Every structure is written in structure tokens, then in C-alpha cells.
Amino acid sequence: MYLFTGGLHQFRILSLAMIIFLFPAAGMASPLIVSTGLHSDSARSSLLVSLFETHFTNLVRIGGDFDPVKPESLMPQLRDNNLLEDSALMRFARTSGIDIVVRGSVLDRGDSVIVDLYALSYDVPFNGNVVARYTVTISFKNVEYSARELSYCMEEHTGRFLAELYSEYSFPVRVKIRNGVLEYDDFPLKEKRYDLYHIKDESRATVRFSRESSLAVKNRTLVPDGFVQDGNYFVLRTFKDEAAFLEEFYYGRKKEIVFRPVTLEETLFTALATPLIGILSPIAAPATYYSSSDYEGLGLWALNNAPYMYIGIQGLLNRPTVLREDKKNISKFQKSSFYFGLYYFLGAGASMYADSAGARAAQSAAAYNTVDPYMGSDYSALYFSILGSGGGHFYKGYRGWGYLFFHLDNTLLFTSLYYLLDEERYDGSSYSRSSSDKTYGYIAAGAALLVRAFEVYHCSTLKFNIQNGTLSDSSVSLVPIVSTDPNGSLIAGFGFERKL
């Protein structure tokens, strides 16, 4: 149990542990959590740190799943005793019984601020390692934040960090089994079955344990499966339901803040205006990109639309009626281009305007600024996804998904038209149709319908892309490796890395 050599160090640690009991929590059965303060490097980052600490304390107290420890008297003592390194903090947390320690930094980079938050836990199954990490870059370029919006912003990131922590953290609830009878601390029995872990050795900082059996929940009572020896055991209480609730709550709350109440009438008006939007899209979409300083969107619009716009324009200019008047052959390509041009300029073109408007709305909503009217409607998102060409995804602010379906829909539509339509040849006095095998056309049309159905479904499962900041990926990534083997030979390749 003694963590430092020397009686003075032991006395200091034990004295600091007494601070915890000066601030009794609402229910000692819940895990104890404390924020040791975030590092800052400017006046702006210091303000964000202060906002985080306020929202962190409030959210933990309101949630009731963790018991917060007040850091006001704790922090000076930790600094004076040089206990601010992660390893030293974990030794202190183990002695004082603080289950989770939250640390991090807010670093000012001029046009942006990097918020890095992480949580440590001394207890099993983490043994002093990082439980969850949340790193986000908040851009201040072309965005204005008032004091109100900054507070909303940091409350959002605090809630998202806690949701990440809740989804990863497991609280070990000690279980004693004596003569087949279970004795355990009072805690909510949510899952239908728990894995039972046996503590092999807890005399060191790293507790050794192994999975022993499983426990079923019957009538709110734990029942062991099979014979279990006497000893110290624990089950892991999870907080995944609480994490899902936090995510849904903050998404719904932000949506109410940044968007107007939606009505079906607005979607009907949008549907009636779609042909006009599609016709004006070649001018309106670039103008919206430019006014929003969305030069990336403007470049992608020009690059991705050029081939379809060319096909549509030449198909409408050389439409079958004009070719008949000139007594020219009407190829399958010309017919397909004409009908595709009608779809593109009366329907698909609207999806490009949806991208320019959706990207601008996503940028404004992310910073809690005013959002354009007619944005944020699930009805309109459904309508645009049915219309196709990635419109629903563009409308919700997902440019990558939008362009994927944009190309799939347009390519499959043109292909099906090409193989389903017949060529018309002029023989000097009249036109004759040359029939052909339409099997490929039916296959392409079937594929187009399947893609459209998936597009509608996928779009309906996505939330509006209104989250603040750009998250750093903390999942598994592929990284290059250069090393040497035991014989001194050079080894080069790739490996998988998971950042926490």
C-alpha cells in the first residue's frame, strides 16, 4: 500500500488523501472524478479552460453517475508536493480512492485552438493507463465567437468528452463470494449478464486479474453460473447507455439552438422550386461558395460537375427534335444525353446548390452562428435524398458521401438510358429504329434503384453535420515502421497504431 519510500512522503500522500473527505460526495457508491486543471498558453486558451472547468463540474453533478471532487484545495497541495505527473497522480489517486483523473491542455495556435482532454484511472481494468482521449481543433478563421457562443462551444466539447469517457470507462464493483453466496456493493443492475473477474494479486500498482465465470441477473439479483471458489471478485459496471444519452442530448439541444423549427410546408415549397434551383445552380452554387469563402467547395464543384454539365448541355442543344428537323441520325448517346440533361438541370443540379448551402450552414451551426432559413429540416433532407445525386447528404453537410452518391446516381442513370434507348437512323425519307439487347440497361436501372434506396436509408441515419471543431482520429491507424531485427538487419514496413 505504501507508495513512496520515506515517512515524509507517506505522510504527505495520506494527508492529501484526507482532503477528499472534506468534500463529501452525494453518493459514495459512485466513482469519484476530479479535473486537475488544463494547461493553457494564452489569455484566450485560459478563458476556454475556465469555461471547461465550469461546464465539467456542472455536467458531472447533473448527470449523477460520477461524484466530483472539488479541486480548489487539492491542486495547490498537488503542485507543492510535485504530484502533477501522470504516474505520481495515479499513485495519489490509488491512495485517496479517486477513480478517474481528468487532465489535458488548451493550446492557442492563432487561427485555431487545440483542446486535448484525457482521463486516467488507477483501478482495474485500466491500471493507471488512459481510459479515454478527446482531441479537437477549434478553428477561429472566418468565424466569430461571442462570449455566449464560446460558452456553448466549450459546453459541447465537455459533453462530448464525457460521452467518450462514459463509453470507454468501466467501474469495477467488488463482489465477495462466500459459500456460494454473493455479497456486492449496491449498484444498478442494467446488463442481463456480467463477466466475473477474479483478483489474483492487488499488492502492487498493477492489479492482476482473470476472467473466472459469468453472472446472470434474475429478479435484480446476481446469480453465479456453476461453482465459484471463495475470494475477491469484481464485475464491470459500464456507462454506455449514459454515453448514448449524452450524445443524443447535446445533438438535439444544439439543433434546437442553431436551426429554426422545421415545417413540412417549407419542404413542399423547396420541391416546387427545385426546377428553378436546378436551372440557376450553375450560377447560384459558385456564387454561394465564393461568398462563404468555400474555395475548396468551389474547386470540387468545378472538377466534379464538368463532365456531367458538358453531357447535359450538348444533349439539350442537340436534342432529338433539332436533329429530326435537320434530318440527321439520332445516336443512342445523343438521346441519352438529352434525357440526362433534363434530369441534371431540373433535378440533380439542385443537389449542387444543396452542397453550397449545406456547407455554409454546417460552418455557421458549428460555431453557433445564425444559419440560413430552410436549413436543418429532416423533411428536406429526405426529399433531396429521394431526388438523388447525393442531395440529401450535401444538405446535411456531408460532402464526401454526397459526391459518392452524386457520381453513382449520375453514372448509373446515364448508363441505363444508353442501353435502354434505341438509335434512330435517317434513310433519306424516314427514320427507322434499330432495336438492341437491353439486358445491360435493365441491370443498370436495377442497380440505380438499389443505390437510390440505400442513399435514402443512409441519409436518414445521419445526423446533421453541426459538431464544432475537427476531431483528431483516436482510432486504429496505419503507421510506417523503420527498425532493426536482433541480427542488426534493417526492417521497414507498416504497423497498426491506436492512439489514446
Side-chain angles (χ1 to χ4, degrees), residues 48 202 331:
L48 296 179
E202 56 181 338
S331 67

Side-chain angles (χ1 to χ4, degrees), residues 176-191:
K176 292 282 188 180
I177 303 179
R178 294 188 178 92
N179 299 322
V181 179
L182 287 171
E183 299 176 3
Y184 53 90
D185 296 333
D186 184 26
F187 69 102
L189 300 178
K190 295 183 177 181
E191 292 82 359

Side-chain angles (χ1 to χ4, degrees), residues 220-280:
R220 303 185 65 81
T221 302
L222 290 173
V223 181
D225 290 348
F227 175 78
V228 182
Q229 296 180 352
D230 293 347
N232 289 330
Y233 298 84
F234 68 90
V235 296
L236 293 175
R237 170 189 173 185
T238 63
F239 298 85
K240 295 188 182 298
D241 291 340
E242 290 81 353
F245 172 79
L246 263 182
E247 291 179 354
E248 288 296 327
F249 172 78
Y250 272 99
Y251 171 73
R253 183 170 181 268
K254 186 170 187 179
K255 192 177 176 185
E256 289 181 357
I257 292 173
V258 299
F259 291 135
R260 297 188 317 167
V262 299
T263 62
L264 184 58
E265 288 76 9
E266 291 180 346
T267 302
L268 294 176
F269 179 80
T270 301
L272 293 174
T274 295
L276 179 61
I277 296 173
I279 293 173
L280 296 177

Side-chain angles (χ1 to χ4, degrees), residues 39-324:
H39 171 70
S40 60
D41 60 356
S42 71
R44 181 168 61 180
S45 61
S46 296
L47 172 61
L48 296 179
V49 167
S50 176
L51 291 171
F52 167 79
E53 296 295 344
T54 299
H55 292 306
F56 175 80
T57 302
N58 292 336
L59 289 177
V60 170
R61 285 175 176 169
I62 293 172
D65 300 298
F66 298 156
D67 286 331
V69 177
K70 294 182 179 180
E72 290 84 354
S73 298
L74 182 62
M75 288 307 301
Q77 298 296 329
L78 291 176
R79 282 192 291 267
D80 293 343
N81 290 278
N82 196 25
L83 296 175
L84 291 180
E85 293 295 327
D86 287 353
S87 57
L89 265 176
M90 284 297 94
R91 290 193 293 267
F92 168 73
R94 182 180 178 88
T95 302
S96 58
I98 300 177
D99 300 279
I100 304 172
V101 176
V102 174
R103 312 206 69 195
S105 62
V106 179
L107 304 179
D108 200 329
R109 293 295 180 262
D111 288 340
S112 64
V113 168
I114 301 175
V115 178
D116 182 31
L117 307 170
Y118 63 97
L120 303 162
S121 177
Y122 75 89
D123 212 342
V124 290
F126 306 103
N127 287 319
N129 293 315
V130 173
V131 178
R133 189 156 208 148
Y134 177 86
T135 305
V136 64
T137 301
I138 305 173
S139 176
F140 284 83
K141 190 176 182 180
N142 300 323
V143 180
E144 295 183 359
Y145 287 95
S146 65
R148 166 185 170 274
E149 290 157 355
L150 273 180
S151 181
Y152 275 140
C153 175
M154 285 311 296
E155 183 184 9
E156 176 185 341
H157 291 299
T158 306
R160 286 161 61 183
F161 165 68
L162 285 175
E164 178 71 16
L165 175 59
Y166 282 18
S167 67
E168 298 293 334
Y169 180 67
S170 299
F171 180 48
V173 178
R174 303 294 170 141
V175 177
K176 292 282 188 180
I177 303 179
R178 294 188 178 92
N179 299 322
V181 179
L182 287 171
E183 299 176 3
Y184 53 90
D185 296 333
D186 184 26
F187 69 102
L189 300 178
K190 295 183 177 181
E191 292 82 359
K192 294 183 179 180
R193 180 172 293 276
Y194 291 89
D195 287 329
L196 181 67
Y197 298 93
H198 182 211
I199 300 174
K200 301 290 187 181
D201 181 12
E202 56 181 338
S203 61
R204 301 179 180 181
T206 301
V207 178
R208 294 177 57 246
F209 63 94
S210 63
R211 183 184 179 280
E212 187 74 15
S213 180
S214 62
L215 298 175
V217 178
K218 295 181 180 179
N219 299 323
R220 303 185 65 81
T221 302
L222 290 173
V223 181
D225 290 348
F227 175 78
V228 182
Q229 296 180 352
D230 293 347
N232 289 330
Y233 298 84
F234 68 90
V235 296
L236 293 175
R237 170 189 173 185
T238 63
F239 298 85
K240 295 188 182 298
D241 291 340
E242 290 81 353
F245 172 79
L246 263 182
E247 291 179 354
E248 288 296 327
F249 172 78
Y250 272 99
Y251 171 73
R253 183 170 181 268
K254 186 170 187 179
K255 192 177 176 185
E256 289 181 357
I257 292 173
V258 299
F259 291 135
R260 297 188 317 167
V262 299
T263 62
L264 184 58
E265 288 76 9
E266 291 180 346
T267 302
L268 294 176
F269 179 80
T270 301
L272 293 174
T274 295
L276 179 61
I277 296 173
I279 293 173
L280 296 177
S281 177
I283 299 174
T288 305
Y289 289 127
Y290 183 80
S291 64
S292 304
S293 300
D294 186 5
Y295 302 114
E296 176 187 354
L298 181 60
L300 289 172
W301 174 86
L303 181 65
N304 287 278
N305 276 269
Y308 302 113
M309 194 175 295
Y310 168 77
I311 291 174
I313 290 175
Q314 72 88 26
L316 293 175
L317 292 177
N318 299 302
R319 54 192 178 276
T321 54
V322 173
L323 295 176
R324 287 192 184 94

